[in-house]
Amino acid sequence: MKLITVYGPSTLISISLAGLPTGSARSSLAIDNTVNRFLDAMVTLSIPLGVGSPVDQKLINIWFYASEDGTGFLDNASGLDQSIVKRNPTNWRGPFVLNTPDSGGLVYTAVVPSVGTYFNKVMPRKWGVIIENQSGVSFDATEANFSKSYSGVSLQFETPGETLHDSATVPGPGTDIDVTALSTLNLQITGTATSFSLAFLGAVDGEPSIPISGINLKTFSLATVVNNLGEIWQVDVSSLKTFRAELTAVSGGSVTVKTLAIP
């Protein structure tokens, strides 16, 4: 069992950037994080410049604003898609710098890997983007030529299924499972064998060899050894380090044992 990174869908950021003059800035509509509660967010912005040669700073600053309560916003941000004037000094967070060194009306793309970095790794209740044009050239005049999106980032426990025995026709220990971070295992037992014996074994240290009781989810009976096909058994592994369903005997066909882990 392990934690894995999960990415939300690519979602549009509402901000109108067409024709933004150099030396000007614009804020996005606030993004509400109270429903999805993402731990972080990745932002991608593709910004085409108008015709001309970048001068002076030759860059676009990408700033971020936030709200703790969802209504009061950082500095002079308001949570709206609108023009905004940067105060000096500013309390906006950032910037993430997108350099614009070349002329020719090129498209410059920024990928900001972590918005949370700008808020001490804690995503605000609401947040937004502020784009400051310091390229020396106005942005392209057609809004459809811009791309503005974010993907939420979260963590979740991976709950993989394991195959402990795959159509086994001879006795064997099968696959051992590290259950350190798990609370429960569900085991489904199928096959064609006319008879078999499957023992539940666990350990808090070393090789799993101590009998462990499971519960039949159909009859709610307890047992450390299973002899019937077409059943699902549940085993409490919260106090164990390793688990094994050992096939101690089998005849007249095969046995398959698959598990689903529950954190």
Side-chain angles (χ1 to χ4, degrees):
M1 185 57 121
K2 61 182 179 181
L3 279 172
I4 59 173
T5 302
V6 179
Y7 300 94
S10 183
T11 304
L12 177 69
I13 297 175
S14 296
I15 182 171
S16 303
L17 295 176
L20 184 69
T22 187
S24 300
R26 191 170 183 95
S27 65
S28 75
L29 187 69
I31 297 164
D32 191 340
N33 195 42
T34 59
V35 176
N36 292 315
R37 299 179 183 178
F38 292 122
L39 298 178
D40 209 338
M42 298 180 66
V43 170
T44 300
L45 300 164
S46 291
I47 301 174
L49 296 185
V51 176
S53 298
V55 294
D56 298 330
Q57 296 185 53
K58 296 184 180 181
L59 56 82
I60 298 168
N61 285 321
I62 301 168
W63 302 88
F64 297 93
Y65 72 85
S67 173
E68 178 277 325
D69 61 5
T71 57
F73 293 91
L74 184 67
D75 210 350
N76 58 335
S78 63
L80 300 177
D81 175 6
Q82 63 182 20
S83 296
I84 191 168
V85 176
K86 184 176 73 173
R87 292 171 173 165
N88 187 18
T90 183
N91 291 307
W92 302 341
R93 296 299 183 94
F96 182 94
V97 176
L98 176 60
N99 293 306
T100 59
D102 301 316
S103 60
L106 300 178
V107 177
Y108 290 94
T109 299
V111 178
V112 184
S114 172
V115 174
T117 297
Y118 297 99
F119 299 100
N120 295 327
K121 299 183 179 180
V122 177
M123 285 299 290
R125 188 184 302 269
K126 288 186 178 180
W127 61 276
V129 176
I130 298 173
I131 307 300
E132 180 193 11
N133 183 4
Q134 292 291 352
S135 68
V137 180
S138 293
F139 287 178
D140 184 272
T142 304
E143 194 66 44
N145 293 337
F146 293 76
S147 177
K148 304 149 290 186
S149 63
Y150 77 95
S151 293
V153 181
S154 58
L155 296 175
Q156 71 178 33
F157 278 107
E158 184 181 36
T159 54
E162 292 275 359
T163 299
L164 306 188
H165 296 278
D166 189 6
S167 299
T169 57
V170 295
T175 303
D176 291 354
I177 303 177
D178 182 347
V179 293
T180 304
L182 303 179
S183 63
T184 305
L185 279 181
N186 289 331
L187 298 93
Q188 180 170 298
I189 305 164
T190 60
T192 61
T194 55
S195 66
F196 72 96
S197 182
L198 187 74
F200 299 147
L201 305 171
V204 296
D205 184 34
E207 184 176 341
S209 59
I210 300 172
I212 302 296
S213 291
I215 183 170
N216 186 319
L217 293 186
K218 180 179 180 180
T219 64
F220 295 104
S221 58
L222 293 173
T224 60
V225 177
V226 178
N227 305 108
N228 296 317
L229 296 172
E231 294 180 341
I232 295 177
W233 286 74
Q234 189 172 89
V235 181
D236 181 358
V237 294
S238 58
S239 60
L240 303 178
K241 182 177 181 181
T242 54
F243 174 83
R244 172 189 298 172
E246 184 166 344
L247 191 61
T248 57
V250 57
S251 62
S254 65
V255 173
T256 295
V257 181
K258 295 186 177 182
T259 71
L260 178 65
I262 302 174

